[in-house]
Amino acid sequence: MTKILIIYTGGTIGMVNDPTTGSLVPFDFKQIRQNVPELDRLNYDLDVYSFDPILDSSNMTPEIWAEIATLIKNKYELFDGFVILHGSDTMAFTASALSFMLENLSKPVVLTGSQLPIGEIRTDAKENLITALEIAATRRDDRPMVPEVCIYFDYQLFRGNRAIKYNSEKFEAFRSPNYPILAEAGVTLSFFSNYILPQPDRELVVHLNYNPNIGVLKLYPGISELAVRAVTASPVDAIVLETFGSGNTTTAGWFIDCLKEAIGNGKLIVDITQCQRGSVELGMYETSKRLEQMGVVSGYDMTFEATITKLMYLMGQGLQHQEIVRLMEDSLRGELTN
Ligand code: ASP
């Protein structure tokens, strides 16, 4: 019988209304189990691991990512797949982080959650949970169909490090603007195998070290030197620069000097675009040529979530600066197209 480990971290899926405050608060897995009797009808051997405390995902931390990765490592041989129940707010960060932490993953790790608690009549939680389990259990040629970290939400399966939460109200909460979906659930479950990562030929390696010392600078017309310096002169090790269009910035002398100083001080600057769709192309316009010349790294079409977690992961590995630069511009887990 297919064995699946459900890892319950929290999120709306298992929340209940606290009558004293009127706010939604996390509740234990019993809440989920009681509301989905179908779980017993699935022909899988299900085991559940609940985090303590159960979280609203806005309180997610890299330490908890390391706990999840360690749990998967310890249970790896015992289960055919893993389904992580997680709040949707930071699900794309967790999925991205796990994709980098779990190198040579050969089993499905499917994150899901819901927009409405599982106890609500119109909930989206049941479908998300049941189909996520089916995806984690699907095999082809006796091997797991989706050997990667992914997000299942509202009938679609996304590569985890390509997904973003784009809507806080619709059941369709996630999108993958720069990469096709991996599967779609309709009357049948259709997998698009051309887009799914191949089975690795090496053993799983789990990376638990990370460096979260990253600054973020989102540009806007009229941004002041003071605001820019607050980030470029701060004691961070890397800066994610959210730029215009295909990676462009103002060419004002003071701005270029701020970036040059930061790079001179050993900071790594990664350029990603504010556009949801499309890629950074350094040098395409004069307004990004100088960035390329001074050593700004291209984030290509990476999501903000993938960029942050990839930096945390790479900077935690004790690599040389140039090696981090090279790997940032390379696809490690299918997170970018260059
Ligand atoms: N605030 C919730 C969380 O991320 C939202 C959700 O689960 O959709 O935990």
Side-chain angles (χ1 to χ4, degrees):
M1 209 191 250
T2 309
K3 294 192 73 172
I4 301 188
L5 180 63
I6 299 175
I7 302 172
Y8 178 45
T9 68
T12 299
I13 190 164
M15 288 190 185
V16 286
N17 217 293
D18 179 343
T20 51
T21 61
S23 302
L24 286 171
V25 288
F27 198 72
D28 63 30
F29 192 77
K30 265 191 258 148
Q31 165 77 7
I32 297 179
R33 187 115 231 178
Q34 275 165 11
N35 279 285
V36 198
E38 292 89 344
L39 288 182
D40 297 327
R41 282 173 43 210
L42 287 171
N43 210 10
Y44 309 141
D45 185 351
L46 300 178
D47 218 337
V48 181
Y49 179 94
S50 279
F51 270 74
D52 185 15
I54 298 158
L55 297 174
D56 183 301
S57 77
S58 300
N59 284 319
M60 189 47 69
T61 61
E63 287 80 4
I64 304 173
W65 295 337
E67 274 186 60
I68 300 173
T70 306
L71 180 67
I72 292 174
K73 180 184 173 186
N74 294 340
K75 305 280 182 183
Y76 199 63
E77 295 310 325
L78 300 175
F79 292 89
D80 299 296
F82 302 85
V83 168
I84 303 177
L85 302 181
H86 193 290
S88 63
D89 288 351
T90 62
M91 190 182 288
F93 286 93
T94 299
S96 298
L98 290 175
S99 77
F100 298 116
M101 296 165 97
L102 305 172
E103 186 175 359
N104 304 327
L105 185 68
S106 64
K107 298 186 178 186
V109 174
V110 187
L111 286 94
T112 195
S114 66
Q115 292 282 57
L116 280 178
I118 204 142
E120 303 263 331
I121 292 175
R122 286 181 53 252
T123 188
D124 52 331
K126 284 189 193 183
E127 197 286 318
N128 285 349
L129 171 57
I130 290 168
T131 308
L133 288 166
E134 280 197 37
I135 289 168
T138 303
R139 298 175 76 82
R140 194 173 68 171
D141 302 332
D142 206 30
R143 310 190 85 179
M145 184 71 206
V146 192
E148 52 175 297
V149 179
C150 36
I151 290 180
Y152 179 76
F153 224 95
D154 196 41
Y155 303 103
Q156 295 192 311
L157 184 70
F158 308 95
R159 173 164 300 158
N161 57 33
R162 291 288 195 157
I164 54 170
K165 180 170 180 184
Y166 99 102
N167 199 312
S168 61
E169 291 174 349
K170 286 192 175 184
F171 288 153
E172 183 206 0
F174 288 87
R175 278 198 178 159
S176 169
N178 286 317
Y179 196 76
I181 56 170
L182 307 182
E184 193 161 30
V187 174
T188 58
L189 210 48
S190 310
F191 289 91
F192 307 117
S193 49
N194 288 352
Y195 301 122
I196 297 174
L197 288 175
Q199 277 283 342
D201 45 20
R202 298 196 185 168
E203 294 286 290
L204 177 76
V205 183
V206 179
H207 304 276
L208 300 176
N209 294 337
Y210 59 88
N211 175 355
N213 199 20
I214 301 164
V216 176
L217 182 56
K218 184 166 187 161
L219 298 185
Y220 52 90
I223 193 167
S224 70
E225 183 170 349
L226 213 67
V228 170
R229 271 196 193 283
V231 180
T232 57
S234 70
V236 292
D237 298 319
I239 297 167
V240 176
L241 194 62
E242 289 197 75
T243 58
F244 309 123
S246 52
N248 307 313
T249 64
T250 169
T251 49
W254 62 266
F255 178 77
I256 299 296
D257 288 345
C258 283
L259 297 191
K260 277 190 183 156
E261 268 169 45
I263 291 175
N265 289 331
K267 296 189 198 335
L268 196 138
I269 302 184
V270 187
D271 183 344
I272 58 170
T273 172
Q274 293 177 15
C275 298
Q276 280 202 352
R277 199 159 187 166
S279 182
V280 162
E281 274 188 65
L282 291 180
M284 180 174 173
Y285 288 88
E286 203 239 320
T287 43
S288 67
K289 189 82 197 156
R290 297 224 203 121
L291 306 180
E292 188 180 33
Q293 286 162 347
M294 73 170 87
V296 167
V297 176
S298 175
Y300 292 98
D301 57 354
M302 266 191 295
T303 62
F304 176 69
E305 292 85 337
T307 310
I308 290 279
T309 54
K310 186 174 180 181
L311 274 171
M312 282 190 190
Y313 156 66
L314 287 176
M315 294 198 306
Q317 304 309 304
L319 302 167
Q320 295 286 326
H321 185 87
Q322 270 321 306
E323 187 63 357
I324 301 179
V325 168
R326 187 181 71 75
L327 294 172
M328 274 311 289
E329 293 191 338
D330 240 22
S331 170
L332 306 182
R333 314 277 192 269
E335 72 281 8
L336 62 78
T337 316
N338 58 7

